[in-house]
Amino acid sequence: EGVSNLTRERYLTFAVGAKNVDAAVPKLARMRNDSMQTLARLRSDSEVVEGEERLRVLHSQLRPGHKLAGPVFDELSAKSCLSTKDVIAPSAIDFKPAGRNDCFEVDGMYGQVLGFRTFGSELSDRALADIIDLPLPLNVTLHIQAMDKSKAVALVKQRLAWMDKEIIDEQMSAVKKGYDFQILPSELKYSKEEAEDLLDHLQNKNQRLFVFTGLVYTYAPTLEELDEQVLQIMSTARRNSIELDTLAYRQRQGLNSILPLAHNHVDLSRMVTTAQVA
């Protein structure tokens, strides 16, 4: 769209735990129907991604700048020794191009995955839109794992108990030094207020707690262009109170995590509630 001829594609990948494929199919079917109905209420059409289209999506991320030629499954049937991985995977990936540890090279293209390290109390759609609207080759991936409500409440209560202990320690230290014990560090006071508010949302306002991981992937034909694109992404994110991490020594895990396979290999997450993803 626009002068940059941008093409945007949005994929929703969901996963369930099951003993085998037969047990997973009906669960996935129910989730698919629920997701499509929810998207329809938002006036957003959706369709199921079939096998060959899914392979093309994976290929576009693993080998940017290259097109997957011909009907994939026809080629596989003619060469029975091959699998789908042989068709879409590059021959090699260098995760230390020019001695760097924060990017990788594949088929003459340089790529880098960034992770959401911190962001404000709310992650608004405007903040994400500002990143997505950049005229750059981008993949913005959000991993969201729902937490069981009883476990979420127990976790928040445990954090509150830990904060109460910290407050008591601070007050005892203040008394020994002759200071006013009612004056607490602002960060500790604010953290406790946030935790109490979170507990109230979970118990009384039907909120859910989620484990969230955000990733941004971009690529360019040269390292100089890649660095310029990364700087532009990080600057745009910072304007929306989002700090991005370069994932040094974790580009392999980052690349695996941005693929639409519902697997998160990056240990860089934080807790958010339903209301915080606005």
Side-chain angles (χ1 to χ4, degrees):
E1 66 178 27
V3 295
S4 300
N5 296 321
L6 300 177
T7 300
R8 292 187 177 90
E9 300 177 355
R10 294 173 173 83
Y11 297 93
L12 173 64
T13 306
F14 46 86
V16 297
K19 294 181 179 179
N20 50 52
V21 174
D22 294 334
V25 168
K27 293 182 180 180
L28 290 171
R30 285 194 295 271
M31 293 181 69
R32 178 194 64 213
N33 294 335
D34 290 344
S35 300
M36 296 182 77
Q37 289 174 9
T38 301
L39 290 171
R41 288 197 294 271
L42 300 173
R43 297 182 181 180
S44 177
D45 296 331
S46 58
E47 60 183 18
V48 178
V49 178
E50 301 296 341
E52 185 156 331
E53 185 180 353
R54 185 181 296 108
L55 291 177
R56 292 186 184 280
V57 174
L58 293 169
H59 182 269
S60 69
Q61 303 304 293
L62 291 170
R63 301 187 66 194
H66 296 76
K67 289 188 176 181
L68 193 60
V72 177
F73 290 103
D74 289 350
E75 183 178 348
L76 291 177
S77 61
K79 302 175 182 178
S80 58
C81 60
L82 296 180
S83 69
T84 53
K85 291 181 181 180
D86 297 306
V87 177
I88 64 173
S91 57
I93 303 177
D94 182 6
F95 284 101
K96 286 190 177 181
R100 293 179 52 170
N101 55 43
D102 60 349
C103 61
F104 55 89
E105 180 185 5
V106 53
D107 289 345
M109 280 283 187
Y110 295 90
Q112 184 169 0
V113 181
L114 306 169
F116 284 45
R117 175 167 291 281
T118 59
F119 51 86
S121 57
E122 288 188 359
L123 182 63
S124 68
D125 55 354
R126 182 71 263 162
L128 294 175
D130 285 347
I131 298 175
I132 295 170
D133 287 344
L134 289 171
L136 306 171
L138 279 176
N139 176 332
V140 179
T141 299
L142 307 178
H143 288 278
I144 302 174
Q145 176 67 49
M147 183 179 289
D148 183 79
K149 191 140 189 188
S150 60
K151 291 183 179 179
V153 171
L155 176 65
V156 176
K157 286 182 177 179
Q158 183 182 20
R159 296 288 176 88
L160 276 170
W162 178 81
M163 290 178 193
D164 286 336
K165 180 181 179 301
E166 286 288 307
I167 289 174
I168 293 172
D169 291 343
E170 286 287 340
Q171 289 176 333
M172 291 178 64
S173 176
V175 170
K176 289 179 181 179
K177 294 178 181 179
Y179 300 141
D180 186 352
F181 69 92
Q182 292 183 341
I183 300 177
L184 297 172
S186 57
E187 185 177 349
L188 181 58
K189 185 178 179 181
Y190 177 71
S191 296
K192 187 179 180 183
E193 289 175 355
E194 270 203 331
E196 289 173 341
D197 187 51
L198 174 58
L199 185 62
D200 178 58
H201 277 76
L202 293 175
Q203 292 180 321
N204 304 318
K205 298 181 181 178
N206 198 31
Q207 294 289 315
R208 297 289 302 275
L209 195 62
F210 300 89
V211 180
F212 171 88
T213 300
L215 302 169
V216 182
Y217 167 50
T218 187
Y219 54 85
T222 65
L223 282 173
E224 290 75 16
E225 290 182 59
L226 178 66
D227 290 339
E228 185 176 338
Q229 290 177 192
V230 168
L231 185 62
Q232 193 173 349
I233 294 169
M234 296 182 78
S235 176
T236 303
R238 199 171 290 118
R239 286 202 301 268
N240 291 280
S241 302
I242 300 174
E243 290 294 331
L244 297 178
D245 184 34
T246 55
L247 296 182
Y249 298 103
R250 290 177 290 174
Q251 288 297 305
R252 183 194 302 272
Q253 292 86 342
L255 178 59
N256 282 324
S257 299
I258 60 95
L259 300 176
L261 298 174
H263 288 294
N264 181 15
H265 303 268
V266 178
D267 185 18
L268 183 65
S269 59
R270 62 165 284 180
M271 304 290 183
V272 295
T273 64
T274 312
Q276 286 177 302
V277 185

